[in-house]
Amino acid sequence: MRKSQKRQIENILALLDKAQNAVKKALETGNFEIALSLLEQSQDSAIQIGGMIEESFGEDFTTIGMLENYCEEIYQTYELIRQKQPVNVNKTCKNLRKNLIQIENSVRNDIQVRTTAVFLPYKASMWDSLESVWKAADEDPNCDAYVVPIPYFDKNPDGSFREMHYEGDEYPKYIPIISWEEYDIAAEHPDMIFIHNPYDEFNHVTSVHPAYYSKELKNQTDLLVYIPYYILGKIDPDDRKAVDNLEHFCTVPAVVYADKVIVQSKEWQKVYIDVMTRTLGNDTKQVWEKKILGLGSPKMDKVHITEKDDLDIPKEWLKIIEKPDGSWKKIIFYNTSVSALLQYEEKMLEKMQYVFDVFKENRDEAVLLWRPHPLIKATIESMRPQMWMKYEKIVQMYIEEGWGIYDDTADMNRAVAVSDAYYGDPSSIVQLYRETGKLIMMQNVEKIESNVNNCDEESIFEKDRINLHSGTVIRVKDDVYFSEAFFNGLFKINVNNFSVDFIGRFSEERWERDFMHVKNTVQYQDTLVFFPLCSRHIHMYNVTLGEEKCVTIPIPENSEFAMLGSIQVEDKIWIFPGETKKGIFVLDMRNKEIQKDESLSRLLLKYETIVGWCVNLKERKGYTYCPQNSTLIEIDVKNGEVSEYTVLFGNGHINLINYYNDMLYFTDIASGDLYEWNLKNASFKKYIAQELNRVIDTKALFSGCCFMKDDIYMIPYANREVMKINSSGMMEKAFEYPMDFKYLKHWREDYYPGLMIAAEVIEHNIWFYPYGLNRLFIYDTVTGQVESHKLTVNFEKVFPDMQMFSESNLMTLEWFCERIQKSTNKTFFTETSLGEKIYQAIKQ
């Protein structure tokens, strides 16, 4: 019996119960005509119930006999009343009630309900979002599960319908398909309907048949269930910016009209609830909390159960995949998305051609399995018709050349299972692919390396080792700790043997982000405190315990803080900003709390622009320069005072770089000259910059100073030469970096090797760490000799479990192909069935 039929019977029995009470009241008050009418109606209702049960289970079903006894009791009572014979009201009503209770119990316990669940996919390639739920329903002995693929239309630019598509013949053979033309949903009124299309009429590219819009289906079932056909990335529900960027996935018709919405995680459940509550009002929150369930995506089930050895691989594919010895080449799943084509247009076509060129050249070892999004054709024809011919030409050329695989079938999971790595655009496929443990690289359309001269020795990756580029340094006993300039990593160099060890990553930071620190690392007891150039986080590493902690500066989530200087006063560290409006903050190392120094921040705020910071650690003073009015600003953090000095030199293009023995050192960015300003007598001395060996065409030549006895060594900014100001006040060359930087430009276009370096004095040597160059230079001030040590570390030590990469000038497509050849896939998932979990939750 159908669930709706049993519910109808239960409703009739509830009415019979009320009718019996009314009969008793009518008899007690002498309203015999009313009693007769009620008894007649009760008998008709009992007969109706009997007919429904007999139709489903036959005339011998146990409840039928109970209904007959009940009807006989009603008849006998009816005749006594009609013939005006005396009626024992209590006894009669008690017998009727006894019979009715027996019927109610039998209906509840003996009648087995059969649920009807109808699944309405529209694209066969999206069937995996429903399949495991269908399987759970199909295996339920008390459920009739039907798969009814529905038609959809392409749309013209004006929104009108174009040709109709029906993919009922593209589903796996084990799925029993029912034609949409043969299944009358309105007449059948199934207990449950499952859909994966969220848009109704609001998709600009395609539309399911209007008869299957969610607002229509809601009236044709007791329970409409929407399960998204996609999987989104992980999200922090409290990250408002991230939520705002993705809230359009929540505010779709299917979410509004469905009775239940199944989303991929508890985090996304919270996002959906918050977005819909914010959109439709706080009084709707309980509705969304009841409706939206974070039970997981059935798409994960399909990935888990699809085994490579069980796949039916087409013969045409095998011809491309197999090597002469019968072994397989590495297979790379190349996924191109609709959004990337719409966003980048011609540039995306150029990128695709570059990818094809790379894999065509390496076709003896690797196979490209190109699987474009199934809606690309309809989308480009509708929204970018001028691109369609160019795109189609690329597709035809790729297919005709025959060195790669073109997969436009509905079975996406086969591509996931057979491939060894993923390369391509952001997509819900990426989230599925992560479950396999295989390598992933996100395509960067901007990176087309075919016109770039690669360098062999100095690229970021060298065989199985990664080259390192120091961002800041600080020495603790026999170790020099430094942060990697181009990605999030903390390392240390042993000063005796120059070996390099990886310490770990700084928490709360992306691994791939630039993590340069500029002259701004402090040691407090056993703790090193790192102040990033652009971040909201201060990082502390305890060298004794080997523990890292992070403190967040109280500024808006989506902003960063340029921490350009710091001064320590006992247990507190004052942090100076790159922008005056950000203010000065104080970190208390005792409780690791940070707060704004409101007084000093207000005093600093009156200066529109500042350039550079340097500190006088002895007197606890910081200095910065305001170019608008040639003002030197002195911040006394100990006393909370701000003083001004007028500095009359240069043409306004001044950058403050260092303090030493009551002297401040400035560089003139326009001329390259160096100024020495005496704080005691307000005098200055100018050093004319000679023609130096510049890395790039800029006048800014120095980024800082390093002091040894009476000599001042100038740290290069955009040249290869370390200059020295000797005790006589003369500027001369100390040494020149013994290598050429120019060919390194390609892997970091917005920074040049040698632009900024850190330096420190160790005994009679000066250690120079060029920013963007995997070298340590040690200059012996006694002999004038220069040593060069390469900074490298084993790749697996830095990225032992690294699965996902972003294509960049550091991690190129060519490099990724090399990693794939060396990779061994790791399985991250365990056997599970989200479909069963979802079905049981919905069924209740």
Side-chain angles (χ1 to χ4, degrees), residues 342-362:
L342 293 178
Q343 179 180 354
Y344 295 103
E345 298 186 345
E346 298 286 341
K347 184 173 285 187
M348 180 62 185
L349 298 181
E350 183 183 357
K351 175 67 176 185
M352 288 163 53
Q353 190 58 59
Y354 160 67
V355 173
F356 297 152
D357 290 344
V358 169
F359 282 96
K360 184 177 180 180
E361 185 177 341
N362 294 278

mmCIF file with all atom_site columns, all heavy atoms in Angstrom, residues 342-362:
data_model
loop_
_atom_site.group_PDB
_atom_site.id
_atom_site.type_symbol
_atom_site.label_atom_id
_atom_site.label_alt_id
_atom_site.label_comp_id
_atom_site.label_asym_id
_atom_site.label_entity_id
_atom_site.label_seq_id
_atom_site.pdbx_PDB_ins_code
_atom_site.Cartn_x
_atom_site.Cartn_y
_atom_site.Cartn_z
_atom_site.occupancy
_atom_site.B_iso_or_equiv
_atom_site.pdbx_formal_charge
_atom_site.auth_seq_id
_atom_site.auth_comp_id
_atom_site.auth_asym_id
_atom_site.auth_atom_id
_atom_site.pdbx_PDB_model_num
ATOM 1   N N   . LEU A 1 342 ? 33.932 31.935 -20.496 1.00 0.00 ? 342 LEU A N   1
ATOM 2   C CA  . LEU A 1 342 ? 33.178 33.186 -20.475 1.00 0.00 ? 342 LEU A CA  1
ATOM 3   C C   . LEU A 1 342 ? 34.027 34.342 -19.956 1.00 0.00 ? 342 LEU A C   1
ATOM 4   O O   . LEU A 1 342 ? 33.934 35.471 -20.433 1.00 0.00 ? 342 LEU A O   1
ATOM 5   C CB  . LEU A 1 342 ? 31.924 33.033 -19.619 1.00 0.00 ? 342 LEU A CB  1
ATOM 6   C CG  . LEU A 1 342 ? 30.840 32.089 -20.149 1.00 0.00 ? 342 LEU A CG  1
ATOM 7   C CD1 . LEU A 1 342 ? 29.682 32.003 -19.168 1.00 0.00 ? 342 LEU A CD1 1
ATOM 8   C CD2 . LEU A 1 342 ? 30.349 32.535 -21.517 1.00 0.00 ? 342 LEU A CD2 1
ATOM 9   N N   . GLN A 1 343 ? 34.867 34.053 -18.965 1.00 0.00 ? 343 GLN A N   1
ATOM 10  C CA  . GLN A 1 343 ? 35.671 35.118 -18.361 1.00 0.00 ? 343 GLN A CA  1
ATOM 11  C C   . GLN A 1 343 ? 36.851 35.529 -19.226 1.00 0.00 ? 343 GLN A C   1
ATOM 12  O O   . GLN A 1 343 ? 37.108 36.721 -19.423 1.00 0.00 ? 343 GLN A O   1
ATOM 13  C CB  . GLN A 1 343 ? 36.171 34.668 -16.983 1.00 0.00 ? 343 GLN A CB  1
ATOM 14  C CG  . GLN A 1 343 ? 37.032 35.710 -16.283 1.00 0.00 ? 343 GLN A CG  1
ATOM 15  C CD  . GLN A 1 343 ? 37.510 35.230 -14.918 1.00 0.00 ? 343 GLN A CD  1
ATOM 16  O OE1 . GLN A 1 343 ? 37.118 34.163 -14.451 1.00 0.00 ? 343 GLN A OE1 1
ATOM 17  N NE2 . GLN A 1 343 ? 38.345 36.018 -14.273 1.00 0.00 ? 343 GLN A NE2 1
ATOM 18  N N   . TYR A 1 344 ? 37.577 34.546 -19.767 1.00 0.00 ? 344 TYR A N   1
ATOM 19  C CA  . TYR A 1 344 ? 38.834 34.847 -20.455 1.00 0.00 ? 344 TYR A CA  1
ATOM 20  C C   . TYR A 1 344 ? 38.721 34.851 -21.986 1.00 0.00 ? 344 TYR A C   1
ATOM 21  O O   . TYR A 1 344 ? 39.619 35.354 -22.657 1.00 0.00 ? 344 TYR A O   1
ATOM 22  C CB  . TYR A 1 344 ? 39.910 33.845 -20.024 1.00 0.00 ? 344 TYR A CB  1
ATOM 23  C CG  . TYR A 1 344 ? 40.276 33.951 -18.577 1.00 0.00 ? 344 TYR A CG  1
ATOM 24  C CD1 . TYR A 1 344 ? 39.803 33.032 -17.651 1.00 0.00 ? 344 TYR A CD1 1
ATOM 25  C CD2 . TYR A 1 344 ? 41.102 34.972 -18.118 1.00 0.00 ? 344 TYR A CD2 1
ATOM 26  C CE1 . TYR A 1 344 ? 40.140 33.126 -16.300 1.00 0.00 ? 344 TYR A CE1 1
ATOM 27  C CE2 . TYR A 1 344 ? 41.449 35.075 -16.780 1.00 0.00 ? 344 TYR A CE2 1
ATOM 28  C CZ  . TYR A 1 344 ? 40.959 34.149 -15.876 1.00 0.00 ? 344 TYR A CZ  1
ATOM 29  O OH  . TYR A 1 344 ? 41.306 34.244 -14.554 1.00 0.00 ? 344 TYR A OH  1
ATOM 30  N N   . GLU A 1 345 ? 37.700 34.260 -22.504 1.00 0.00 ? 345 GLU A N   1
ATOM 31  C CA  . GLU A 1 345 ? 37.424 34.254 -23.941 1.00 0.00 ? 345 GLU A CA  1
ATOM 32  C C   . GLU A 1 345 ? 38.658 33.851 -24.758 1.00 0.00 ? 345 GLU A C   1
ATOM 33  O O   . GLU A 1 345 ? 39.130 32.732 -24.661 1.00 0.00 ? 345 GLU A O   1
ATOM 34  C CB  . GLU A 1 345 ? 36.876 35.628 -24.358 1.00 0.00 ? 345 GLU A CB  1
ATOM 35  C CG  . GLU A 1 345 ? 35.559 35.966 -23.670 1.00 0.00 ? 345 GLU A CG  1
ATOM 36  C CD  . GLU A 1 345 ? 34.936 37.246 -24.175 1.00 0.00 ? 345 GLU A CD  1
ATOM 37  O OE1 . GLU A 1 345 ? 35.628 38.036 -24.855 1.00 0.00 ? 345 GLU A OE1 1
ATOM 38  O OE2 . GLU A 1 345 ? 33.742 37.475 -23.896 1.00 0.00 ? 345 GLU A OE2 1
ATOM 39  N N   . GLU A 1 346 ? 39.184 34.772 -25.596 1.00 0.00 ? 346 GLU A N   1
ATOM 40  C CA  . GLU A 1 346 ? 40.293 34.434 -26.498 1.00 0.00 ? 346 GLU A CA  1
ATOM 41  C C   . GLU A 1 346 ? 41.523 33.941 -25.739 1.00 0.00 ? 346 GLU A C   1
ATOM 42  O O   . GLU A 1 346 ? 42.236 33.045 -26.202 1.00 0.00 ? 346 GLU A O   1
ATOM 43  C CB  . GLU A 1 346 ? 40.667 35.666 -27.330 1.00 0.00 ? 346 GLU A CB  1
ATOM 44  C CG  . GLU A 1 346 ? 39.561 36.165 -28.233 1.00 0.00 ? 346 GLU A CG  1
ATOM 45  C CD  . GLU A 1 346 ? 39.347 35.270 -29.434 1.00 0.00 ? 346 GLU A CD  1
ATOM 46  O OE1 . GLU A 1 346 ? 40.262 34.492 -29.762 1.00 0.00 ? 346 GLU A OE1 1
ATOM 47  O OE2 . GLU A 1 346 ? 38.265 35.342 -30.042 1.00 0.00 ? 346 GLU A OE2 1
ATOM 48  N N   . LYS A 1 347 ? 41.762 34.511 -24.580 1.00 0.00 ? 347 LYS A N   1
ATOM 49  C CA  . LYS A 1 347 ? 42.931 34.104 -23.794 1.00 0.00 ? 347 LYS A CA  1
ATOM 50  C C   . LYS A 1 347 ? 42.800 32.651 -23.343 1.00 0.00 ? 347 LYS A C   1
ATOM 51  O O   . LYS A 1 347 ? 43.787 31.920 -23.280 1.00 0.00 ? 347 LYS A O   1
ATOM 52  C CB  . LYS A 1 347 ? 43.105 35.010 -22.581 1.00 0.00 ? 347 LYS A CB  1
ATOM 53  C CG  . LYS A 1 347 ? 44.352 34.707 -21.772 1.00 0.00 ? 347 LYS A CG  1
ATOM 54  C CD  . LYS A 1 347 ? 44.577 35.734 -20.673 1.00 0.00 ? 347 LYS A CD  1
ATOM 55  C CE  . LYS A 1 347 ? 45.086 37.033 -21.241 1.00 0.00 ? 347 LYS A CE  1
ATOM 56  N NZ  . LYS A 1 347 ? 45.478 37.985 -20.189 1.00 0.00 ? 347 LYS A NZ  1
ATOM 57  N N   . MET A 1 348 ? 41.566 32.231 -23.043 1.00 0.00 ? 348 MET A N   1
ATOM 58  C CA  . MET A 1 348 ? 41.345 30.834 -22.659 1.00 0.00 ? 348 MET A CA  1
ATOM 59  C C   . MET A 1 348 ? 41.630 29.910 -23.838 1.00 0.00 ? 348 MET A C   1
ATOM 60  O O   . MET A 1 348 ? 42.231 28.837 -23.665 1.00 0.00 ? 348 MET A O   1
ATOM 61  C CB  . MET A 1 348 ? 39.914 30.649 -22.168 1.00 0.00 ? 348 MET A CB  1
ATOM 62  C CG  . MET A 1 348 ? 39.588 29.228 -21.741 1.00 0.00 ? 348 MET A CG  1
ATOM 63  S SD  . MET A 1 348 ? 40.605 28.665 -20.342 1.00 0.00 ? 348 MET A SD  1
ATOM 64  C CE  . MET A 1 348 ? 40.074 26.958 -20.208 1.00 0.00 ? 348 MET A CE  1
ATOM 65  N N   . LEU A 1 349 ? 41.233 30.307 -25.032 1.00 0.00 ? 349 LEU A N   1
ATOM 66  C CA  . LEU A 1 349 ? 41.517 29.493 -26.216 1.00 0.00 ? 349 LEU A CA  1
ATOM 67  C C   . LEU A 1 349 ? 43.022 29.376 -26.430 1.00 0.00 ? 349 LEU A C   1
ATOM 68  O O   . LEU A 1 349 ? 43.539 28.308 -26.790 1.00 0.00 ? 349 LEU A O   1
ATOM 69  C CB  . LEU A 1 349 ? 40.858 30.104 -27.447 1.00 0.00 ? 349 LEU A CB  1
ATOM 70  C CG  . LEU A 1 349 ? 39.320 30.206 -27.418 1.00 0.00 ? 349 LEU A CG  1
ATOM 71  C CD1 . LEU A 1 349 ? 38.808 30.820 -28.713 1.00 0.00 ? 349 LEU A CD1 1
ATOM 72  C CD2 . LEU A 1 349 ? 38.684 28.856 -27.167 1.00 0.00 ? 349 LEU A CD2 1
ATOM 73  N N   . GLU A 1 350 ? 43.729 30.472 -26.195 1.00 0.00 ? 350 GLU A N   1
ATOM 74  C CA  . GLU A 1 350 ? 45.186 30.461 -26.327 1.00 0.00 ? 350 GLU A CA  1
ATOM 75  C C   . GLU A 1 350 ? 45.816 29.540 -25.281 1.00 0.00 ? 350 GLU A C   1
ATOM 76  O O   . GLU A 1 350 ? 46.752 28.784 -25.577 1.00 0.00 ? 350 GLU A O   1
ATOM 77  C CB  . GLU A 1 350 ? 45.727 31.890 -26.166 1.00 0.00 ? 350 GLU A CB  1
ATOM 78  C CG  . GLU A 1 350 ? 47.226 32.007 -26.360 1.00 0.00 ? 350 GLU A CG  1
ATOM 79  C CD  . GLU A 1 350 ? 47.731 33.420 -26.122 1.00 0.00 ? 350 GLU A CD  1
ATOM 80  O OE1 . GLU A 1 350 ? 46.903 34.321 -25.861 1.00 0.00 ? 350 GLU A OE1 1
ATOM 81  O OE2 . GLU A 1 350 ? 48.964 33.627 -26.176 1.00 0.00 ? 350 GLU A OE2 1
ATOM 82  N N   . LYS A 1 351 ? 45.272 29.578 -24.063 1.00 0.00 ? 351 LYS A N   1
ATOM 83  C CA  . LYS A 1 351 ? 45.776 28.720 -22.992 1.00 0.00 ? 351 LYS A CA  1
ATOM 84  C C   . LYS A 1 351 ? 45.558 27.241 -23.332 1.00 0.00 ? 351 LYS A C   1
ATOM 85  O O   . LYS A 1 351 ? 46.455 26.402 -23.149 1.00 0.00 ? 351 LYS A O   1
ATOM 86  C CB  . LYS A 1 351 ? 45.064 29.055 -21.676 1.00 0.00 ? 351 LYS A CB  1
ATOM 87  C CG  . LYS A 1 351 ? 45.418 28.133 -20.511 1.00 0.00 ? 351 LYS A CG  1
ATOM 88  C CD  . LYS A 1 351 ? 46.858 28.295 -20.074 1.00 0.00 ? 351 LYS A CD  1
ATOM 89  C CE  . LYS A 1 351 ? 47.150 27.436 -18.871 1.00 0.00 ? 351 LYS A CE  1
ATOM 90  N NZ  . LYS A 1 351 ? 48.507 27.636 -18.328 1.00 0.00 ? 351 LYS A NZ  1
ATOM 91  N N   . MET A 1 352 ? 44.385 26.930 -23.842 1.00 0.00 ? 352 MET A N   1
ATOM 92  C CA  . MET A 1 352 ? 44.101 25.546 -24.216 1.00 0.00 ? 352 MET A CA  1
ATOM 93  C C   . MET A 1 352 ? 45.084 25.056 -25.275 1.00 0.00 ? 352 MET A C   1
ATOM 94  O O   . MET A 1 352 ? 45.588 23.930 -25.191 1.00 0.00 ? 352 MET A O   1
ATOM 95  C CB  . MET A 1 352 ? 42.662 25.434 -24.730 1.00 0.00 ? 352 MET A CB  1
ATOM 96  C CG  . MET A 1 352 ? 41.605 25.564 -23.643 1.00 0.00 ? 352 MET A CG  1
ATOM 97  S SD  . MET A 1 352 ? 39.943 25.914 -24.280 1.00 0.00 ? 352 MET A SD  1
ATOM 98  C CE  . MET A 1 352 ? 39.760 24.598 -25.461 1.00 0.00 ? 352 MET A CE  1
ATOM 99  N N   . GLN A 1 353 ? 45.375 25.896 -26.246 1.00 0.00 ? 353 GLN A N   1
ATOM 100 C CA  . GLN A 1 353 ? 46.318 25.504 -27.291 1.00 0.00 ? 353 GLN A CA  1
ATOM 101 C C   . GLN A 1 353 ? 47.696 25.258 -26.711 1.00 0.00 ? 353 GLN A C   1
ATOM 102 O O   . GLN A 1 353 ? 48.400 24.327 -27.118 1.00 0.00 ? 353 GLN A O   1
ATOM 103 C CB  . GLN A 1 353 ? 46.382 26.583 -28.376 1.00 0.00 ? 353 GLN A CB  1
ATOM 104 C CG  . GLN A 1 353 ? 47.146 26.157 -29.612 1.00 0.00 ? 353 GLN A CG  1
ATOM 105 C CD  . GLN A 1 353 ? 46.571 24.910 -30.252 1.00 0.00 ? 353 GLN A CD  1
ATOM 106 O OE1 . GLN A 1 353 ? 45.404 24.873 -30.644 1.00 0.00 ? 353 GLN A OE1 1
ATOM 107 N NE2 . GLN A 1 353 ? 47.382 23.865 -30.348 1.00 0.00 ? 353 GLN A NE2 1
ATOM 108 N N   . TYR A 1 354 ? 48.091 26.086 -25.737 1.00 0.00 ? 354 TYR A N   1
ATOM 109 C CA  . TYR A 1 354 ? 49.383 25.880 -25.073 1.00 0.00 ? 354 TYR A CA  1
ATOM 110 C C   . TYR A 1 354 ? 49.418 24.540 -24.342 1.00 0.00 ? 354 TYR A C   1
ATOM 111 O O   . TYR A 1 354 ? 50.404 23.788 -24.420 1.00 0.00 ? 354 TYR A O   1
ATOM 112 C CB  . TYR A 1 354 ? 49.653 27.020 -24.094 1.00 0.00 ? 354 TYR A CB  1
ATOM 113 C CG  . TYR A 1 354 ? 50.666 26.683 -23.040 1.00 0.00 ? 354 TYR A CG  1
ATOM 114 C CD1 . TYR A 1 354 ? 52.003 26.472 -23.376 1.00 0.00 ? 354 TYR A CD1 1
ATOM 115 C CD2 . TYR A 1 354 ? 50.291 26.533 -21.711 1.00 0.00 ? 354 TYR A CD2 1
ATOM 116 C CE1 . TYR A 1 354 ? 52.938 26.146 -22.412 1.00 0.00 ? 354 TYR A CE1 1
ATOM 117 C CE2 . TYR A 1 354 ? 51.217 26.198 -20.739 1.00 0.00 ? 354 TYR A CE2 1
ATOM 118 C CZ  . TYR A 1 354 ? 52.537 26.005 -21.095 1.00 0.00 ? 354 TYR A CZ  1
ATOM 119 O OH  . TYR A 1 354 ? 53.450 25.666 -20.138 1.00 0.00 ? 354 TYR A OH  1
ATOM 120 N N   . VAL A 1 355 ? 48.331 24.210 -23.632 1.00 0.00 ? 355 VAL A N   1
ATOM 121 C CA  . VAL A 1 355 ? 48.256 22.929 -22.914 1.00 0.00 ? 355 VAL A CA  1
ATOM 122 C C   . VAL A 1 355 ? 48.379 21.771 -23.904 1.00 0.00 ? 355 VAL A C   1
ATOM 123 O O   . VAL A 1 355 ? 49.114 20.801 -23.667 1.00 0.00 ? 355 VAL A O   1
ATOM 124 C CB  . VAL A 1 355 ? 46.935 22.832 -22.122 1.00 0.00 ? 355 VAL A CB  1
ATOM 125 C CG1 . VAL A 1 355 ? 46.779 21.436 -21.507 1.00 0.00 ? 355 VAL A CG1 1
ATOM 126 C CG2 . VAL A 1 355 ? 46.891 23.892 -21.028 1.00 0.00 ? 355 VAL A CG2 1
ATOM 127 N N   . PHE A 1 356 ? 47.700 21.873 -25.010 1.00 0.00 ? 356 PHE A N   1
ATOM 128 C CA  . PHE A 1 356 ? 47.781 20.811 -26.017 1.00 0.00 ? 356 PHE A CA  1
ATOM 129 C C   . PHE A 1 356 ? 49.205 20.676 -26.550 1.00 0.00 ? 356 PHE A C   1
ATOM 130 O O   . PHE A 1 356 ? 49.696 19.555 -26.767 1.00 0.00 ? 356 PHE A O   1
ATOM 131 C CB  . PHE A 1 356 ? 46.811 21.092 -27.165 1.00 0.00 ? 356 PHE A CB  1
ATOM 132 C CG  . PHE A 1 356 ? 45.368 21.112 -26.759 1.00 0.00 ? 356 PHE A CG  1
ATOM 133 C CD1 . PHE A 1 356 ? 44.439 21.867 -27.459 1.00 0.00 ? 356 PHE A CD1 1
ATOM 134 C CD2 . PHE A 1 356 ? 44.926 20.386 -25.666 1.00 0.00 ? 356 PHE A CD2 1
ATOM 135 C CE1 . PHE A 1 356 ? 43.104 21.888 -27.083 1.00 0.00 ? 356 PHE A CE1 1
ATOM 136 C CE2 . PHE A 1 356 ? 43.595 20.399 -25.270 1.00 0.00 ? 356 PHE A CE2 1
ATOM 137 C CZ  . PHE A 1 356 ? 42.685 21.157 -25.986 1.00 0.00 ? 356 PHE A CZ  1
ATOM 138 N N   . ASP A 1 357 ? 49.881 21.798 -26.743 1.00 0.00 ? 357 ASP A N   1
ATOM 139 C CA  . ASP A 1 357 ? 51.263 21.750 -27.241 1.00 0.00 ? 357 ASP A CA  1
ATOM 140 C C   . ASP A 1 357 ? 52.177 21.031 -26.254 1.00 0.00 ? 357 ASP A C   1
ATOM 141 O O   . ASP A 1 357 ? 53.041 20.230 -26.652 1.00 0.00 ? 357 ASP A O   1
ATOM 142 C CB  . ASP A 1 357 ? 51.780 23.170 -27.493 1.00 0.00 ? 357 ASP A CB  1
ATOM 143 C CG  . ASP A 1 357 ? 51.109 23.835 -28.691 1.00 0.00 ? 357 ASP A CG  1
ATOM 144 O OD1 . ASP A 1 357 ? 50.492 23.114 -29.491 1.00 0.00 ? 357 ASP A OD1 1
ATOM 145 O OD2 . ASP A 1 357 ? 51.181 25.076 -28.799 1.00 0.00 ? 357 ASP A OD2 1
ATOM 146 N N   . VAL A 1 358 ? 52.000 21.307 -24.961 1.00 0.00 ? 358 VAL A N   1
ATOM 147 C CA  . VAL A 1 358 ? 52.842 20.678 -23.935 1.00 0.00 ? 358 VAL A CA  1
ATOM 148 C C   . VAL A 1 358 ? 52.647 19.165 -23.946 1.00 0.00 ? 358 VAL A C   1
ATOM 149 O O   . VAL A 1 358 ? 53.609 18.390 -23.947 1.00 0.00 ? 358 VAL A O   1
ATOM 150 C CB  . VAL A 1 358 ? 52.515 21.252 -22.534 1.00 0.00 ? 358 VAL A CB  1
ATOM 151 C CG1 . VAL A 1 358 ? 53.199 20.412 -21.445 1.00 0.00 ? 358 VAL A CG1 1
ATOM 152 C CG2 . VAL A 1 358 ? 52.961 22.699 -22.439 1.00 0.00 ? 358 VAL A CG2 1
ATOM 153 N N   . PHE A 1 359 ? 51.401 18.705 -23.968 1.00 0.00 ? 359 PHE A N   1
ATOM 154 C CA  . PHE A 1 359 ? 51.144 17.272 -23.885 1.00 0.00 ? 359 PHE A CA  1
ATOM 155 C C   . PHE A 1 359 ? 51.407 16.564 -25.211 1.00 0.00 ? 359 PHE A C   1
ATOM 156 O O   . PHE A 1 359 ? 51.761 15.381 -25.215 1.00 0.00 ? 359 PHE A O   1
ATOM 157 C CB  . PHE A 1 359 ? 49.720 17.019 -23.396 1.00 0.00 ? 359 PHE A CB  1
ATOM 158 C CG  . PHE A 1 359 ? 49.564 17.207 -21.918 1.00 0.00 ? 359 PHE A CG  1
ATOM 159 C CD1 . PHE A 1 359 ? 49.113 18.412 -21.394 1.00 0.00 ? 359 PHE A CD1 1
ATOM 160 C CD2 . PHE A 1 359 ? 49.918 16.200 -21.034 1.00 0.00 ? 359 PHE A CD2 1
ATOM 161 C CE1 . PHE A 1 359 ? 48.996 18.594 -20.032 1.00 0.00 ? 359 PHE A CE1 1
ATOM 162 C CE2 . PHE A 1 359 ? 49.808 16.366 -19.667 1.00 0.00 ? 359 PHE A CE2 1
ATOM 163 C CZ  . PHE A 1 359 ? 49.343 17.576 -19.159 1.00 0.00 ? 359 PHE A CZ  1
ATOM 164 N N   . LYS A 1 360 ? 51.245 17.265 -26.291 1.00 0.00 ? 360 LYS A N   1
ATOM 165 C CA  . LYS A 1 360 ? 51.576 16.666 -27.576 1.00 0.00 ? 360 LYS A CA  1
ATOM 166 C C   . LYS A 1 360 ? 53.065 16.373 -27.643 1.00 0.00 ? 360 LYS A C   1
ATOM 167 O O   . LYS A 1 360 ? 53.496 15.317 -28.134 1.00 0.00 ? 360 LYS A O   1
ATOM 168 C CB  . LYS A 1 360 ? 51.169 17.605 -28.713 1.00 0.00 ? 360 LYS A CB  1
ATOM 169 C CG  . LYS A 1 360 ? 51.396 17.031 -30.108 1.00 0.00 ? 360 LYS A CG  1
ATOM 170 C CD  . LYS A 1 360 ? 50.903 17.999 -31.168 1.00 0.00 ? 360 LYS A CD  1
ATOM 171 C CE  . LYS A 1 360 ? 51.124 17.445 -32.567 1.00 0.00 ? 360 LYS A CE  1
ATOM 172 N NZ  . LYS A 1 360 ? 50.648 18.390 -33.608 1.00 0.00 ? 360 LYS A NZ  1
ATOM 173 N N   . GLU A 1 361 ? 53.870 17.279 -27.101 1.00 0.00 ? 361 GLU A N   1
ATOM 174 C CA  . GLU A 1 361 ? 55.321 17.087 -27.091 1.00 0.00 ? 361 GLU A CA  1
ATOM 175 C C   . GLU A 1 361 ? 55.726 15.945 -26.179 1.00 0.00 ? 361 GLU A C   1
ATOM 176 O O   . GLU A 1 361 ? 56.731 15.274 -26.404 1.00 0.00 ? 361 GLU A O   1
ATOM 177 C CB  . GLU A 1 361 ? 55.992 18.391 -26.650 1.00 0.00 ? 361 GLU A CB  1
ATOM 178 C CG  . GLU A 1 361 ? 57.500 18.353 -26.712 1.00 0.00 ? 361 GLU A CG  1
ATOM 179 C CD  . GLU A 1 361 ? 58.122 19.694 -26.336 1.00 0.00 ? 361 GLU A CD  1
ATOM 180 O OE1 . GLU A 1 361 ? 57.413 20.707 -26.373 1.00 0.00 ? 361 GLU A OE1 1
ATOM 181 O OE2 . GLU A 1 361 ? 59.321 19.704 -26.002 1.00 0.00 ? 361 GLU A OE2 1
ATOM 182 N N   . ASN A 1 362 ? 54.924 15.691 -25.126 1.00 0.00 ? 362 ASN A N   1
ATOM 183 C CA  . ASN A 1 362 ? 55.254 14.640 -24.144 1.00 0.00 ? 362 ASN A CA  1
ATOM 184 C C   . ASN A 1 362 ? 54.334 13.426 -24.279 1.00 0.00 ? 362 ASN A C   1
ATOM 185 O O   . ASN A 1 362 ? 54.134 12.681 -23.318 1.00 0.00 ? 362 ASN A O   1
ATOM 186 C CB  . ASN A 1 362 ? 55.144 15.214 -22.721 1.00 0.00 ? 362 ASN A CB  1
ATOM 187 C CG  . ASN A 1 362 ? 56.181 16.271 -22.434 1.00 0.00 ? 362 ASN A CG  1
ATOM 188 O OD1 . ASN A 1 362 ? 57.321 15.971 -22.093 1.00 0.00 ? 362 ASN A OD1 1
ATOM 189 N ND2 . ASN A 1 362 ? 55.795 17.534 -22.568 1.00 0.00 ? 362 ASN A ND2 1
#
